[in-house]
Amino acid sequence: MFSMRLFCWVIFLFLFSESVLAQQIDSLSYLLSLPVSGEKISLNIDFAQKVAERNPTQTYLLAKSIVQKDQNNNLQLNASAFYIIGYSGMLIGEYAESTKNLYKAIELWEKLENKEEIIRTNCYLARVYARNYDTAQAFSYAKKALDLAVSIKNLKLQGLAYHQFVIGYFYIKDFSKSLPFSNKALQMRSKADDKQGIMSSYNMLGLASARLERYDSALFFYRKAKTINEKYLQNLDMLSAIFDNLSDVFLILQQYDSSFFYLEKGLKIAEKIAIRPRIMESYESLANYYEKTNNTTSALDFYRKYIKLKDSIFNEHKNELIYRMNASYNFEKKEAENEILRQEKTLNRYILLAVGSALFLMFLLVIILFFAFKQHKKNHFILQKQQKEILEKNKILEMQKGEIMTQNVELNNQKQEIIAQKDYIVLSNEELNHQYSQIQKSVEAAKLIQEAILPFEGRVKQFLPNYFVLYKPKDVVSGDFFWIEQLDSKLFVAVIDCTGHGIAGAFMCMIANTLLDQIIKVRKTFSPDQVLNELNTDIRSALRQKAEDNDNGMDAAFVCVEKAAQNFNLSFAGSKHPLFYFCSQTKEVKIIKGNKFSIGEKRSLNKLFNKETVILPYESIFYLFSDGYVDQCNPERMVFGSPKLFQLVSEIANLPIKTQKIIVENTLNDFQKDTAQRDDILLVGIKIESNII
């Protein structure tokens, strides 16, 4: 049984000497020899991973035996075992076996919902593919690990994932592309206070900088790695490697004293911890150093030491390979024997199961025959009873048949009546469609007539180059219209909102347009208040309101603009409609409110309209509008409102006139969405420039 308590006891430190390494392998072997039970089974992955780094072959074979021993299919145990097989297999070059087992580990970690181990396993899958120079797959699994680490906000594992990109680029010797990922890994590891990871990132940054001939940067990063190792980790194996890296850079820079200083320190540490691959690398670096400094005797001496130790390690690797092959053969032979025993046990179980099943089926057949006979007798009795009931029901059905025939005759009569009604409805519908078509043609003609009385754009552009009109009738024809005229060096602009909309509103527009022409062009009444007063009187007379007792009328906003020395005098009168104006000097939008009664209504009798005058500089703008814009609803049944329109005008008054129209129209559409238009909409904006009069 692999329990967490036993592994925590065995893990106790000092992983880097040959004697302690042997004790670790023995501890791992002892734990693997224990019987597997259903109690808290766990494999201390960190311990096993460190043992694998020192002796990957034995760890690989021992971990494979975990899966063989586990008869209870313990997910935690098997996931850990598959992970260690994959990790140690990567170290000994068994890449196909490593990949297969790491995939199995991920599958079990997913069932256990252990996201941290899924991330770690994806990282080592990326490393296996990097060693096989399949960088596309390597980066794919590194990306999976990174995305999952970000999702669980684990900074340490994010650093590990970024580190896999660095390793991938190192294997394809693209050192410049590795630098951003090294920096990201360092950033994440620094936030997580992962000293081991920080040291590793600094060392990789140093290696990449050295390969890119950025030697000052390489020295800086190696020294940072050295400081962290000495202060926090005391990892002598890694410290020896860092000293060798520093020595290599100083040798390239021809700073031979510094190079020799670090070479000597690296060799002493390697000899102290008795790690022969590190000693071999130090011998090679010293041979290279003495060759550069023209000390051929010492160079040859250390090169011989390097070759001797390399041959020794190579022979050990050969022996280890033979041992692994023998162990694999014995393992597979034992697996085959176990498989034969399992098949024999399975066959015996099948034989016992077949005999038992045959006896059970015979007993079951006797019971079925007994109950079948009883059921047959019961069914015979039921059948006789049902035959009697069927005869009685046939008599009832004959009677119902006669009733149904009578009902069919009545239904046929009703059908003929319905057909006759349908023909009448079809004829009526055709007549209504014809009438509707005639009405539509009349309305379209009325639209052309109404458009003819509106100011002609080509003519207005001659004296008003910068203005816009937003005109949206609710129906085909509108109850709103605008009136623009230039007369006697004055500019007149009116926006009229007649009672109702559609055809009724359009007729009122025709009357109001005719009366405005008569008041201003014939009578020469120019003051806005007097124009509205006369329009009030003329509407009451034209509609015979006193005799007919009707209250039809209109709301209006009327402006007269006169040119002064260096500015304009703008006079305004309004009936329930205000004036917005933008002063080009103050850059402010202000409002002038009209009177609170309508033209033509009963309560306007004997009332007079007020006039207000403002002085505006060139390039100022004024706006007139009916209530259709501000009264429009949105899907939540909220109206746009005058305050919001005032705010909108304040925001766009500095923009070009054409742009203002687009914004005003788009704002209304965005507010209205798919809500039906409530009323006719009319809004006029005019810029008063020096050449308009």
Side-chain angles (χ1 to χ4, degrees), residues 239-283:
L239 186 60
S240 174
I242 293 170
F243 285 153
D244 274 6
N245 292 338
L246 281 164
S247 172
D248 290 342
V249 175
F250 281 122
L251 189 60
I252 292 170
L253 297 175
Q254 297 183 358
Q255 298 181 24
Y256 299 119
D257 291 342
S258 297
S259 176
F260 182 75
F261 172 76
Y262 284 112
L263 270 175
E264 192 174 38
K265 290 188 72 172
L267 177 59
K268 286 180 181 179
I269 293 173
E271 290 175 342
K272 179 180 177 181
I273 60 178
I275 298 180
R276 291 191 295 167
R278 290 287 321 117
I279 297 171
M280 181 185 72
E281 291 171 3
S282 294
Y283 284 162

Side-chain angles (χ1 to χ4, degrees), residues 145-279:
L146 178 59
D147 291 344
L148 187 53
V150 170
S151 71
I152 66 173
K153 299 179 180 179
N154 189 313
L155 297 175
K156 183 176 180 180
L157 291 177
Q158 288 179 44
L160 180 63
Y162 279 119
H163 193 70
Q164 306 316 307
F165 287 98
V166 177
I167 291 171
Y169 282 118
F170 260 71
Y171 270 99
I172 60 174
K173 298 186 177 358
D174 196 344
F175 304 109
S176 60
K177 286 187 179 179
S178 75
L179 291 176
F181 291 99
S182 287
N183 287 323
K184 287 296 292 184
L186 178 60
Q187 180 185 352
M188 295 299 107
R189 287 166 162 176
S190 297
K191 289 180 180 179
D193 197 29
D194 177 12
K195 302 298 185 189
Q196 182 72 33
I198 294 169
M199 179 193 69
S200 178
S201 290
Y202 275 129
N203 190 55
M204 295 301 282
L205 281 165
L207 288 170
S209 299
R211 299 299 188 279
L212 295 170
E213 299 182 0
R214 302 172 187 174
Y215 300 118
D216 290 340
S217 298
L219 290 174
F220 171 78
F221 290 127
Y222 286 147
R223 284 166 176 159
K224 293 288 285 186
K226 166 183 167 294
T227 301
I228 291 171
N229 194 328
E230 291 175 339
K231 187 174 181 179
Y232 299 105
L233 302 173
Q234 290 82 46
N235 185 333
L236 298 180
D237 187 4
M238 191 65 193
L239 186 60
S240 174
I242 293 170
F243 285 153
D244 274 6
N245 292 338
L246 281 164
S247 172
D248 290 342
V249 175
F250 281 122
L251 189 60
I252 292 170
L253 297 175
Q254 297 183 358
Q255 298 181 24
Y256 299 119
D257 291 342
S258 297
S259 176
F260 182 75
F261 172 76
Y262 284 112
L263 270 175
E264 192 174 38
K265 290 188 72 172
L267 177 59
K268 286 180 181 179
I269 293 173
E271 290 175 342
K272 179 180 177 181
I273 60 178
I275 298 180
R276 291 191 295 167
R278 290 287 321 117
I279 297 171

